[in-house]
Amino acid sequence: MYKKLITDAVKEAVESLGFDAADINLDKPVVEAHGDYSTNVALKLFKTSGLPSSKSLEAPIDIGAARISAVVKPENIGYVQSPKELAEIICQTIKKSEKLQNIVSEIAVADPGFINFTLSAEALLETIRQILDQKEDFGKSKLGLGKTMVIDYSAPNIAKRFSVGHLRSTIIGQALYNLYVFLGYNAVGDNHLGDWGTQFGMILAAVEKNNLDINNLTVDDLEKLYVDYTAAAKGDPSLRDKAKVWFKKLEDGDEVARKMWQSAVNISMAEFNRIYEILDIRIDQTFGESFYEDKMDSVIKEAKEKGLSRESEGAQVMDLGENMPPGMLLKSDGTTTYFIRDLATIKYRLETWGPSLIIYEVGAEQTLHFKQVFAAAERFGWTEGLDLVHVAHGLFLFEGKKMSTRGGTTVKLEELLQKACQKARSVMDEAQIAKEIDNDEKESISSQVGIGAIKYFDLKHAPTSNINFVWDQALSMDGNSGPYLQYTYARTQSVLSKSEKSPATNYQLHTTTAEEASLLRSLVHFPDVVENAALTFSPNLLANYLYALAQDFNAFYAACRIADDETRLSLTDATGQVLKNGLHILGIKTPQKM
Ligand code: ARG
């Protein structure tokens, strides 16, 4: 909230000096001594004004001479030889306006030309007031008001196990969804299930070949059937043909094929829902690929009308420019593709919700696919006012190894999640942190901690990076982990409940210790971090901010007596609230006790 006020004041100052202040960066300085916010605007303006670097200057140059005279009022600037000098002038201009008088206690220039702002004690205390006032709404903004975004995430494939790739998509996708809700967007989550396509031909053919009753099969059986059948089809092309016939039947509405398909869907959904239940995930919509079955014709038609498609060896393809292979709309046997279903999906989403942003949280192995889909959407003319973003997550390695769903060394996802809860339980018992909690409650807390540990482990990394899941790190009680953050939250609650005093409503500024000041100053940034994490599709920025905040709190807790100080109690209360808001955005529960 202060960020905007300061940005506006800087903007106004540079504009009054005759500069065109299109975008002003305001960042949190790395070094605390540099204040709470910092801008590089003078460095940027000095550079873009075409001046040579200060070192090579022999004589002062009129900055106006180097810029378009219409926007520069040289009389306001005079001569500047360095970004630092320009920073000084901007700094003086801001000070003169008195706009920031109450919220900023110091504005200073630092090498090589940064302008640093230090918030006043009053502004910092006002932050506590706002947190305690707005509670679970603290950090929300109006940035997305009136805008709709769609996020496509989770999207497991029917008749296959829920893989760790889908786990990443589910966890990161849910965090992104929550972040956009916080920005005020109308967010629509859509689970684009893989429930259509030639692979179903394989499964149905395999069920027929082995003379099985599909209703008695598990997801594991179905997956195995598919794997074995594809392997066999490599040596026997007739099997491939049979599968194609089955998929054609399915697309043509053959009753037997439809019934078998529906059974596969039901069996798989039951398992996926069990996983969503454990993960505490709810996704607004689950249309799935099959939903677009009757919506692909209109894409074919539109492509023809717009002259975007052509025939190639009996198939319908769409050229997408030189840097990309053409997209396949229809195969030569007339069956549809994953590609055309994604196009039909965009069309449907545009017509139904009118989003200005669609995010796809899908593994990096589909990068080319989404490039093609986005290029096609542009050619259709659908991307005006629409951003299409593929957040391509990296691999999930498990203690150094790839967690394959095939072959013998499979770790079942459900087992992994259960194991996390058991391990969380023993960590709690060992650390003896939950001494006075009864058994039932311990069970429930340990599942919140176990699941929180898995989610947080993923979310503290940038989505695009590969992650190597290590139990000890995920469950660490003193490192960058979910349990550590949850424990810190529980600590804030325990301090509050044990104290006889209540948090102050009338905040007093007493001699603030360094630890207190750092904590206070960290809290201010929460709304900025939320916004930044959403706009850069990086929940890890929020996760790591919360970790730093928890560290600040624990340092404060170690250094200061809190219990009999009302202002410190409010600081504790506010910290708890921000940890809770942040963890909830990440989809992590915050037990009161641990
Ligand atoms: N079901 C696909 C898979 O597991 C992911 C779908 C992603 N979403 C999309 N609109 N293509 O590979």
Side-chain angles (χ1 to χ4, degrees):
M1 61 211 141
Y2 296 127
K3 190 175 180 180
K4 174 141 191 0
L5 291 173
I6 298 173
T7 310
D8 288 349
V10 174
K11 197 170 170 138
E12 197 171 289
V14 284
E15 274 168 0
S16 80
L17 291 168
F19 290 101
D20 173 7
D23 39 61
I24 306 245
N25 292 332
L26 200 67
D27 296 313
K28 183 177 187 291
V30 187
V31 184
E32 211 175 290
H34 287 168
D36 300 294
Y37 291 102
S38 178
T39 178
N40 62 353
V41 68
L43 292 155
K44 259 172 61 184
L45 287 176
F46 190 80
K47 220 172 169 183
T48 53
S49 62
L51 289 170
S53 86
S54 57
K55 283 191 201 84
S56 63
L57 274 183
E58 277 161 21
I61 287 184
D62 180 349
I63 194 169
R67 291 181 53 83
I68 315 158
S69 54
V71 280
V72 175
K73 300 177 201 140
E75 71 274 15
N76 290 342
I77 292 279
Y79 294 98
V80 288
Q81 289 192 60
S82 66
K84 201 172 172 186
E85 253 182 67
L86 182 56
E88 277 300 349
I89 295 170
I90 296 170
C91 182
Q92 293 313 323
T93 314
I94 299 169
K95 280 184 182 164
K96 255 187 256 155
S97 90
E98 297 183 0
K99 270 219 162 139
L100 299 178
Q101 216 172 32
N102 294 325
I103 61 168
V104 167
S105 62
E106 198 190 332
I107 310 176
V109 170
D111 279 327
F114 290 103
I115 307 173
N116 297 332
F117 302 83
T118 303
L119 291 172
S120 68
E122 181 43 45
L124 293 174
L125 287 181
E126 174 59 23
T127 303
I128 300 197
R129 235 168 266 147
Q130 291 195 4
I131 296 168
L132 297 182
D133 222 47
Q134 298 171 13
K135 300 207 163 56
E136 60 280 1
D137 292 331
F138 180 74
K140 288 193 175 164
S141 82
K142 298 192 167 67
L143 204 84
L145 234 58
K147 290 187 215 159
T148 295
M149 63 86 68
V150 175
I151 176 156
D152 181 313
Y153 66 111
S154 195
N157 299 318
I158 298 297
K160 278 193 188 176
R161 282 182 178 176
F162 196 103
S163 73
V164 285
H166 297 118
L167 178 70
R168 290 207 74 183
S169 174
T170 307
I171 292 172
I172 299 167
Q174 187 67 53
L176 289 170
Y177 174 91
N178 296 343
L179 279 166
Y180 276 87
V181 169
F182 243 63
L183 293 199
Y185 275 79
N186 168 35
V188 181
D190 190 6
N191 189 354
H192 193 71
L193 284 181
D195 59 0
W196 207 248
T198 31
Q199 71 271 28
F200 285 96
M202 296 273 189
I203 291 160
L204 301 190
V207 171
E208 183 193 42
K209 177 171 171 255
N210 294 291
N211 204 5
L212 298 165
D213 177 358
I214 196 165
N215 290 304
N216 297 332
L217 303 178
T218 64
V219 173
D220 281 13
D221 299 334
L222 289 168
E223 177 165 322
K224 193 161 181 311
L225 277 178
Y226 174 77
V227 172
D228 292 349
Y229 195 90
T230 0
K234 281 215 175 92
D236 180 356
S238 78
L239 292 179
R240 197 156 267 282
D241 294 338
K242 282 199 181 113
K244 280 191 178 166
V245 171
W246 269 107
F247 183 53
K248 186 91 177 64
K249 276 196 199 173
L250 190 59
E251 289 219 296
D252 292 344
D254 175 85
E255 214 175 298
V256 177
R258 282 297 162 108
K259 265 210 169 128
M260 286 166 77
W261 170 80
Q262 190 60 54
S263 298
V265 171
N266 296 348
I267 293 164
S268 311
M269 273 321 289
E271 174 155 338
F272 299 160
N273 284 332
R274 220 165 42 238
I275 290 169
Y276 292 136
E277 191 71 31
I278 302 174
L279 290 172
D280 190 35
I281 294 285
R282 263 163 291 265
I283 306 177
D284 297 330
Q285 308 288 349
T286 305
F287 287 118
E289 290 181 46
S290 63
F291 176 77
Y292 299 96
E293 202 205 328
D294 61 355
K295 296 173 182 62
M296 291 182 269
D297 278 350
S298 90
V299 177
I300 300 285
K301 202 166 143 240
E302 190 173 335
K304 276 199 185 126
E305 280 165 14
K306 293 185 171 166
L308 296 171
S309 57
R310 66 176 167 86
E311 215 196 283
S312 165
E313 295 167 33
Q316 282 290 319
V317 300
M318 186 170 169
D319 289 314
L320 301 168
E322 257 151 46
N323 309 320
M324 254 176 270
M328 169 104 63
L329 297 167
L330 291 178
K331 295 186 192 169
S332 53
D333 63 359
T335 53
T336 61
T337 59
Y338 182 50
F339 177 72
I340 189 171
R341 279 190 289 284
D342 257 323
L343 293 178
T345 307
I346 294 181
K347 200 171 163 168
Y348 177 80
R349 287 173 179 164
L350 282 174
E351 285 162 5
T352 312
W353 300 300
S356 56
L357 169 67
I358 304 178
I359 300 176
Y360 296 82
E361 206 321 326
V362 187
E365 66 285 352
Q366 294 193 29
T367 300
L368 175 61
H369 168 73
F370 284 108
K371 272 198 181 141
Q372 290 177 298
V373 169
F374 297 172
E378 195 178 337
R379 284 169 186 240
F380 273 103
W382 298 339
T383 51
E384 194 129 335
L386 171 68
D387 285 326
L388 295 168
V389 177
H390 176 205
V391 175
H393 65 247
L395 297 175
F396 184 112
L397 302 174
F398 184 73
E399 310 235 293
K401 286 190 287 282
K402 234 178 137 164
M403 245 175 99
S404 90
T405 44
R406 299 184 192 150
T409 54
T410 309
V411 191
K412 243 186 123 179
L413 186 66
E414 237 176 310
E415 279 159 20
L416 176 84
L417 300 178
Q418 269 150 15
K419 195 163 166 189
C421 303
Q422 282 156 15
K423 282 193 178 253
R425 174 72 195 246
S426 46
V427 168
M428 279 168 67
D429 287 342
E430 234 166 78
Q432 288 215 318
I433 42 185
K435 267 183 299 216
E436 72 279 31
I437 302 175
D438 70 46
N439 219 35
D440 280 357
E441 205 178 350
K442 256 191 200 169
E443 266 318 284
S444 127
I445 295 172
S446 53
S447 66
Q448 298 180 31
V449 173
I451 298 305
I454 290 196
K455 288 186 179 178
Y456 187 85
F457 189 88
D458 194 331
L459 293 169
K460 74 173 177 173
H461 296 91
T464 48
S465 61
N466 294 339
I467 62 171
N468 181 21
F469 186 86
V470 178
W471 282 117
D472 287 348
Q473 287 172 22
L475 291 164
S476 156
M477 286 306 298
D478 50 18
N480 189 1
S481 75
Y484 173 75
L485 291 178
Q486 288 170 316
Y487 181 61
T488 306
Y489 171 77
R491 176 175 263 179
T492 63
Q493 301 309 291
S494 126
V495 170
L496 291 167
S497 68
K498 282 190 186 129
S499 168
E500 273 155 26
K501 294 198 173 173
S502 308
T505 41
N506 175 20
Y507 307 85
Q508 293 298 314
L509 251 199
H510 48 61
T511 45
T512 318
T513 62
E515 289 81 7
E516 227 172 327
S518 298
L519 177 58
L520 196 49
R521 291 170 70 185
S522 295
L523 288 173
V524 176
H525 290 283
F526 179 67
D528 306 339
V529 173
V530 167
E531 184 178 312
N532 208 6
L535 298 181
T536 61
F537 319 106
S538 310
N540 54 302
L541 297 180
L542 176 58
N544 290 298
Y545 162 83
L546 295 174
Y547 174 52
L549 182 67
Q551 285 179 306
D552 284 339
F553 177 78
N554 287 318
F556 160 68
Y557 177 88
C560 304
R561 258 198 78 80
I562 304 173
D564 47 16
D565 182 316
E566 289 162 349
T567 301
R568 285 180 180 161
L569 284 168
S570 347
L571 184 56
T572 302
D573 202 359
T575 306
Q577 187 69 58
V578 169
L579 284 172
K580 186 174 181 175
N581 292 6
L583 287 170
H584 287 185
I585 290 175
L586 300 180
I588 297 172
K589 294 238 171 95
T590 46
Q592 288 294 109
K593 302 184 240 177
M594 242 175 99

